[in-house]
Amino acid sequence: MRILLIEDDDDIAGRLATGLQPAGFVVERADNGEDGYELGAAGSFDAVILDLGLPNMEGLAVLRKWRAEGRDMPTLILTARGTWTEKVEGLNAGADDYITKPFHIPEVVARLRALIRRKSGVATPLLTHKAIALDTVAGKASVNGAPVELTGLELRMLSYFMHRIGRVISQSELMEHLYALEGSAESNTIEVYISRLRRKLGRDVITTVRGLGYRMD
Ligand code: CA
């Protein structure tokens, strides 16, 4: 899952990036409102963590602008200002949830997961599709009730597909959402992981759509 983090405080941003990575999130950061707005307007993110007090452009202005343009990515407001009026203002501006500093990483992770689940119309952390079950909190998968050992990246890829049943997903979309930009991967590694998932979960679990990508249905 690819997260846009807009936060000007280096310590907080560093803590979030370090904490979110092991939970399977790829974090891209902007340290001011203007850059954050541009990134969010141009890229595709599964969720946004948005600070309110930002240089160049206030967090609320960034959010209002996106929403006015029809950008609906789930947005979690992160703010030191814990007053109820600001929470109300944030939610009214189009935020989906908020978290008050100081925060605990597991709470941020849980809230992000909940937002992403809700966006894809899934209400519980246990995703099921045909014979496959995936517990996104425990990071465990099974086929017909039998546990299947998956690596971190295989789990992330399976989760990405299971949040998008019936949709064609291109190789570049998978690369963008599953790898951090620095650790860029080659497109053939996506094929390798797809074939591993097929081997572990069943041959027909993921369909290749010629010239377009892959689909789980
Ligand atoms: Ca700030």
Side-chain angles (χ1 to χ4, degrees), residues 46-50 52 59-78 85-98 115 118-119:
D46 298 294
V48 179
I49 301 176
L50 179 66
L52 286 187
L60 283 182
V62 171
L63 185 57
R64 287 202 181 100
K65 205 159 175 220
W66 282 339
R67 295 306 192 233
E69 291 161 1
R71 298 239 147 223
D72 65 349
M73 56 279 210
T75 300
L76 178 67
I77 282 184
L78 182 66
T85 45
E86 271 154 342
K87 289 173 188 164
V88 169
E89 207 182 351
L91 293 169
N92 283 343
D96 299 278
D97 199 2
Y98 59 83
L115 287 183
R118 244 179 275 150
K119 174 85 190 301

Side-chain angles (χ1 to χ4, degrees), residues 153-169:
L153 202 129
E154 289 163 0
L155 277 167
R156 263 143 61 198
M157 187 178 271
L158 177 61
S159 168
Y160 198 80
F161 274 102
M162 289 187 77
H163 279 88
R164 292 161 184 80
I165 300 293
R167 225 193 79 191
V168 177
I169 301 168

